[in-house]
Structures are given as structure tokens and as C-alpha cells.
Amino acid sequence: TQLLEQSPQFLSIQEGENLTVYCNSSSVFSSLQWYRQEPGEGPVLLVTVVTGGEVKKLKRLTFQFGDARKDSSLHITAAQPGDTGLYLCAGSNTGKLIFGQGTTLQVKP
Amino acid sequence: DAGVIQSPRHEVTEMGQEVTLRCKPISGHNSLFWYRQTMMRGLELLIYFNNNVPIDDSGMPEDRFSAKMPNASFSTLKIQPSEPRDSAVYFCASSLRGSGRGQNIQYFGAGTRLSVL
């Protein structure tokens, strides 16, 4: 069974701080996606990483795919209250996604 | 495009009743996924369809759950009879499945919040 473990599960920080969320697995994925979910809504795709070692930047968010395509990280620089939400990583292989448990981020003004 | 449309947004029912959740995928998408989200178990894949055909239903909890996709623009998830432990948010997602890596981008509906009393 393929599993994705995210850490930390909960994170509460002050505006302006930096943070990193980790997504780890013992399985290799063909690609890995990061989603953000706000209360009362479905997850929305932030980024897809495909190549081992790949780094993608989305404004203040930096995503990295591990060299062995088993793990990924999301780093947020100078977090803003608008970054508050549930962050989910999802690994893709045979046409379906395996989701991590999620990291709930709260950024306090 | 209106995105993935789910109905109802909220459903409150009593134990033993039949519940039907509905989903309209994004036009042109060929894959449809049903998920269940709870605090304890996170987001779990229940079943997915490719070109209206069920491909993997290994996540369906038990025989009380069934899903159909009669055509490319409509799918249902039915629970009969419902139980309190079925209370969760149920999401439908659709995608245009391609042959390359990184092409399995799923677009989610807003979900149906189900409460079984």
C-alpha cells in the first residue's frame, strides 16, 4: 500500500515567519502534486512536480521533489494570513492520486 | 467553465435512509473520482471512472456504497442504508487523463457535507 506522510500536521505561526511542510513516502511516484484547501471548498492544485530534484517557485512558495521521487517539500517565505489553509500533497502513479493527511496552517496577523 | 458541480451541498439524514450524491464533471474530462474526507482519515479515494467505466473501487468501504456513471456528464454515489459513521464530506473530482507524467491534474467540486444522525 502506498502511503504519504505529511509533517507537521498542524502549524500556527505569526505573519512574516517562514515554514516548511514535508511529504514523505517509501514509494516512488511518477509525479507529485500540492493542493491547498480552504474551509467549505474542495482542494485546489498549486503545483505539479515531475522530475527528481525539480524545484518550482510560485511567488513566496517553493516546492521541491526529492531526487528519488519519494518525497517533497513546500517552503513558504514570509507567510501571510492569506496562506492559512489545509495543504495536501498527493502522489500519482496509476492514474489515481494518493493523498497525504494534510498540514493545517494558521498564519496569525 | 463552471467547474465540477456537486449536489446537494449539505445533506442531513437519519440512520437507515438512502442517500444519493450527485456530480457533474467538467465538460471534456474523461476521468471522474469520488473521495471522502474526515478529520481522522483525511482524503480517501473511494472509486474512479475512466470514460464512464469503473476502474478501481477498492476504496469503497462496503456493499452499502455504490457509484454509477451513466454518461460522461453525470455520476452518482449512493449509500444505502446510511449509518452515522458515513458522516463526512464527499468530494467529486474530474480530470483529463493524458499519457505523460504530471498530466493527472484533478479539479475538485465544493463537496457534499453529509450528516447521518
Side-chain angles (χ1 to χ4, degrees):
Chain A
T1 303
Q2 294 180 310
L3 292 174
L4 275 169
E5 294 188 1
Q6 280 187 244
S7 61
Q9 290 189 10
F10 301 96
L11 196 53
S12 182
I13 60 173
Q14 292 294 134
E15 181 178 0
E17 293 184 10
N18 301 333
L19 67 116
T20 302
V21 177
Y22 299 94
C23 179
N24 295 295
S25 176
S26 58
S27 303
V28 176
F29 292 99
S30 60
S31 66
L32 197 136
Q33 300 175 358
W34 284 91
Y35 289 78
R36 179 165 166 257
Q37 184 179 14
E38 297 192 30
E41 299 181 9
V44 176
L45 180 70
L46 294 173
V47 77
T48 300
V49 285
V50 177
T51 305
E54 182 177 3
V55 177
K56 280 192 175 178
K57 291 191 175 184
L58 188 65
K59 297 184 181 178
R60 293 175 294 100
L61 279 60
T62 301
F63 304 86
Q64 185 162 6
F65 201 11
D67 291 341
R69 306 209 314 274
K70 294 182 179 180
D71 56 87
S72 181
S73 64
L74 158 61
H75 182 79
I76 301 179
T77 303
Q80 304 293 312
D83 296 328
T84 293
L86 176 66
Y87 289 82
L88 296 157
C89 66
S92 175
N93 266 336
T94 54
K96 63 182 184 181
L97 293 177
I98 307 297
F99 279 86
Q101 288 286 82
T103 296
T104 299
L105 172 64
Q106 181 188 42
V107 183
K108 293 178 281 189
Chain B
D1 198 314
V4 176
I5 299 174
Q6 291 186 246
S7 64
R9 287 298 311 275
H10 303 275
E11 177 79 36
V12 180
T13 190
E14 293 185 346
M15 183 175 63
Q17 297 296 306
E18 176 181 301
V19 175
T20 299
L21 311 181
R22 297 172 175 78
C23 175
K24 176 178 167 52
I26 292 174
S27 177
H29 281 188
N30 56 8
S31 295
L32 184 140
F33 306 80
W34 282 101
Y35 292 90
R36 178 173 66 178
Q37 187 175 41
T38 61
M39 287 292 293
M40 290 297 295
R41 301 173 68 90
L43 196 60
E44 301 174 283
L45 177 66
L46 300 176
I47 185 172
Y48 80 95
F49 297 82
N50 275 349
N51 297 315
N52 312 339
V53 177
I55 301 300
D56 184 345
D57 65 354
S58 59
M60 295 287 261
E62 48 196 271
D63 292 345
R64 296 185 297 107
F65 286 69
S66 62
K68 294 182 180 180
M69 192 165 186
N71 56 62
S73 58
F74 184 66
S75 177
T76 58
L77 178 67
K78 183 179 293 186
I79 308 173
Q80 180 184 22
S82 59
E83 296 182 3
R85 60 189 167 126
D86 301 330
S87 298
V89 181
Y90 291 81
F91 287 102
C92 174
S94 71
S95 72
L96 180 61
R97 185 176 180 183
S99 58
R101 286 191 297 162
Q103 295 191 19
N104 184 18
I105 299 173
Q106 296 186 17
Y107 297 84
F108 284 76
T112 295
R113 182 173 295 275
L114 173 64
S115 297
V116 183
L117 306 178

